[in-house]
């Protein structure tokens, strides 16, 4: 089977993790925790980075740090993995769903303003599959209405918008290092910000809001969380980060190869890279349009029979039981794209012959 997206473990992972085991620094404090935060902040170009136990907790933490809670609304896309929407609910706020752009599959910034009410506190763009939200427009609206912006840059690690890494443009950015992400720690996440006060608050809240008093036990001034990442996983993160530039290069080369082999096939829409952006093409994602000889779902079956693992686009969150009654704009593009979109194999280790085989299946149909 050609897998959809598997991790690449070929650097210092074994060495760094062994060092943690040999020295007993396996738990939530240790030099790799600090190093991973420093190295990650340097890579994306943010002033602060706070490592967390997974991406969902980074999102939860971001909302907590900004004081978003009951009675507040947060504008989110419905075309997303569910984690950012759940995080809005964790803090007691309400998600309000906005439609997406048909060419990039991400939040349509032109449709945000019509959803803003006095309850709106934040906009939460999710840069899915490597594609990038029009952040200039998002920030312009946020400034106009005094809103916070939390970017979920999990799937766009390595993507750049006008010279800045995704996740560093809004007030806070969040990442996940789950198994199939560009870099992985098995499970893990990161919160980044250019506001050092917010960064300090995030670290404090994520480590049980603990104040250590001299010669006394632990004292807690807030209700904190245990969102800490163990040193052993941070060690893996440090090793993964050492190879990230190479992984980005390969992802982009693979996307160009897909493009060369698929362009010209009628009724397939290919992903794009907008001017002044760098798309990391985390998952190479195409749309199977109405005139294509088979439907998206039939294609998934055919691919499977050919030994190729693919994945349909996200089922829109607004159609799922907990979110059916949420406020939303017109979501017709979300609904349409969700039925037509398919992610093709995108591992860093994907071979050129495998891409040829995948494209051959599509061309033969
Ligand atoms: C866009 C997005 N946000 C958040 C998450 C959640 O991250 P985690 O699984 O690390 O909690 C994921 C996937 O894992 C994701 O794809």
């Amino acid at each position: 089977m050609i897998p959809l997206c598997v991790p690449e473990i070929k650097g210092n992972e074994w060495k760094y993790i062994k060092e943690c085991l040999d020295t007993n620094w396996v738990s939530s404090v240790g030099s790799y925790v600090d190093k991973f935060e420093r190295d990650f902040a340097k890579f994306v170009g943010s002033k602060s980075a706070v490592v967390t136990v997974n991406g969902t907790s980074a999102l939860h933490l971001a909302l907590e740090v900004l004081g978003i809670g009951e009675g507040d609304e947060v504008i989110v896309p419905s075309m997303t993995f569910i984690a950012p929407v759940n995080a809005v609910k964790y803090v007691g706020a309400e998600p309000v769903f906005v439609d997406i752009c048909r060419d990039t599959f991400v939040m349509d910034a032109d449709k945000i303003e019509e959803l803003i009410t006095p309850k709106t506190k934040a906009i939460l763009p999710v840069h899915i599959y490597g594609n990038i939200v029009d952040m200039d427009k998002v920030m312009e609206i946020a400034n106009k209405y005094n809103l916070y912006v939390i970017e979920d840059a999990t799937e766009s690690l390595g993507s750049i918008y006008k010279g800045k890494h995704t996740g560093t443009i809004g007030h806070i950015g969040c990442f996940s290092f789950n198994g199939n992400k560009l870099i992985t720690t098995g499970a893990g996440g990161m919160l980044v910000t250019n506001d050092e006060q917010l960064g300090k608050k995030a670290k404090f809240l994520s480590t049980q809001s603990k104040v250590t008093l001299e010669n006394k036990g632990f004292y807690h001034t807030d209700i904190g969380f245990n969102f800490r990442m163990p040193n052993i996983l941070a060690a893996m993160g440090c090793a993964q980060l050492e190879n990230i530039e190479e992984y980005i290069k390969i992802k982009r080369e693979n996307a160009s190869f897909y493009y060369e082999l698929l362009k010209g096939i009628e009724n397939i829409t290919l992903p794009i890279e907008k001017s002044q952006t760098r798309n990391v093409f985390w998952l190479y994602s195409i749309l199977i349009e109405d005139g294509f000889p088979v439907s998206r779902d039939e294609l998934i079956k055919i691919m499977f029979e050919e030994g190729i693992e693919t994945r349909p686009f996200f089922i829109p969150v607004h159609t799922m039981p907990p979110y059916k009654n949420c406020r939303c704009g017109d979501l017709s593009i979300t609904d349409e794209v969700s039925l037509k979109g398919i992610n093709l194999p995108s591992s860093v280790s994907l071979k050129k012959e495998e891409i040829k085989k995948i494209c051959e299946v599509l061309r033969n149909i």
Side-chain angles (χ1 to χ4, degrees):
M1 203 72 180
I2 303 175
L4 181 72
C5 196
V6 289
E8 188 72 6
I9 300 167
K10 61 171 195 187
N12 285 317
E13 287 85 354
W14 284 95
K15 184 177 162 203
Y16 295 169
I17 291 172
K18 184 173 185 305
E19 191 189 315
C20 297
L21 300 176
D22 289 343
T23 58
N24 266 346
W25 286 96
V26 293
S27 198
S28 308
V29 198
S31 61
Y32 282 114
V33 171
D34 303 335
K35 182 171 160 50
F36 191 30
E37 289 180 339
R38 273 197 315 274
D39 291 356
F40 193 84
K42 190 166 171 222
F43 174 72
V44 296
S46 69
K47 287 196 177 137
S48 305
V50 176
V51 74
T52 58
V53 73
N54 53 46
T56 306
S57 56
L59 288 157
H60 185 173
L61 186 62
L63 290 150
E64 282 285 343
V65 165
L66 296 172
I68 292 162
E70 219 156 296
D72 296 338
E73 288 183 347
V74 179
I75 297 177
V76 289
S78 174
M79 170 61 67
T80 173
F81 182 64
I82 202 164
V85 185
N86 283 345
V88 171
K89 285 296 243 183
Y90 296 161
V91 297
E94 282 300 319
V96 175
F97 295 112
V98 63
D99 211 1
I100 53 166
C101 302
R102 205 180 186 285
D103 55 354
T104 53
F105 325 133
V106 291
M107 172 185 273
D108 185 344
D110 287 329
K111 294 184 182 161
I112 293 172
E113 214 164 345
E114 64 203 49
L115 295 171
I116 292 174
T117 70
K119 289 182 173 178
T120 312
K121 284 286 160 357
I123 307 170
L124 204 164
V126 186
H127 308 285
I128 61 167
Y129 309 143
N131 295 290
I132 308 162
V133 175
D134 179 355
M135 289 305 294
D136 273 357
K137 183 79 194 175
V138 170
M139 295 314 290
E140 188 191 308
I141 296 167
N143 289 336
K144 183 169 162 190
Y145 293 93
N146 206 16
L147 307 175
Y148 288 120
V149 175
I150 301 164
E151 292 174 83
D152 184 342
T154 288
E155 300 187 3
S156 64
L157 175 56
S159 288
I160 292 178
Y161 177 85
K162 298 189 177 172
K164 288 184 182 166
H165 274 266
T166 53
T168 66
I169 304 156
H171 299 88
I172 292 181
C174 298
F175 298 85
S176 159
F177 309 119
N178 181 34
N180 63 6
K181 301 301 179 297
L182 182 67
I183 61 166
T184 184
T185 54
M190 192 77 80
L191 176 155
V192 301
T193 177
N194 283 316
D195 181 326
E196 281 165 295
Q197 285 311 110
L198 288 181
K200 274 189 191 143
K201 192 172 170 192
K203 187 74 188 171
F204 183 64
L205 282 175
S206 72
T207 52
Q208 302 279 29
S209 304
K210 187 176 72 190
V211 183
T212 311
L213 304 173
E214 212 180 327
N215 298 325
K216 292 199 179 98
F218 299 133
Y219 185 69
H220 304 268
T221 53
D222 276 273
I223 300 173
F225 302 89
N226 181 7
F227 284 164
R228 300 175 303 170
M229 174 187 269
N231 198 45
I232 206 165
L233 297 189
M236 181 166 178
C238 290
Q240 287 269 296
L241 206 51
E242 287 170 355
N243 289 319
I244 196 167
E245 292 292 2
E246 186 197 333
Y247 298 167
I248 292 168
K249 191 166 163 271
I250 294 171
K251 287 261 186 195
R252 287 177 52 74
E253 278 169 10
N254 286 348
S256 299
F257 199 50
Y258 265 126
Y259 177 79
E260 281 311 314
L261 298 183
L262 294 177
K263 71 174 186 218
I265 302 184
E266 273 177 38
N267 297 311
I268 290 183
T269 299
L270 302 180
I272 59 162
E273 180 171 65
K274 292 217 157 173
S275 71
Q276 299 188 67
T277 71
R278 176 178 83 174
N279 187 339
V280 72
F281 295 105
W282 170 63
L283 287 185
Y284 196 79
S285 309
I286 63 173
L287 300 184
I288 303 303
E289 305 290 359
D290 289 339
F292 198 71
V294 300
S295 70
R296 190 274 313 268
D297 290 352
E298 283 164 337
L299 178 64
I300 288 174
K301 272 195 211 133
I302 295 169
M303 287 283 191
F304 185 78
E305 280 154 15
E306 294 285 342
I308 299 162
E309 186 189 10
T310 59
R311 186 186 280 170
F313 272 25
F314 295 116
I315 299 171
V317 178
H318 74 273
T319 65
M320 301 189 192
Y323 296 108
K324 271 192 172 146
N325 298 321
C326 289
R327 204 161 71 74
C328 59
D330 168 42
L331 297 173
S332 47
I333 306 217
T334 300
D335 290 330
E336 184 205 349
V337 163
S338 133
L339 295 173
K340 294 181 173 171
I342 176 169
N343 306 132
L344 300 180
S346 302
S347 305
V348 167
S349 56
L350 187 66
K351 296 185 190 71
K352 292 279 181 289
E353 303 80 70
E354 291 173 326
I355 298 179
K356 273 189 197 158
K357 179 181 168 181
I358 297 158
C359 296
E360 217 28 55
V361 174
L362 280 160
R363 193 165 281 282
N364 287 341
I365 294 171

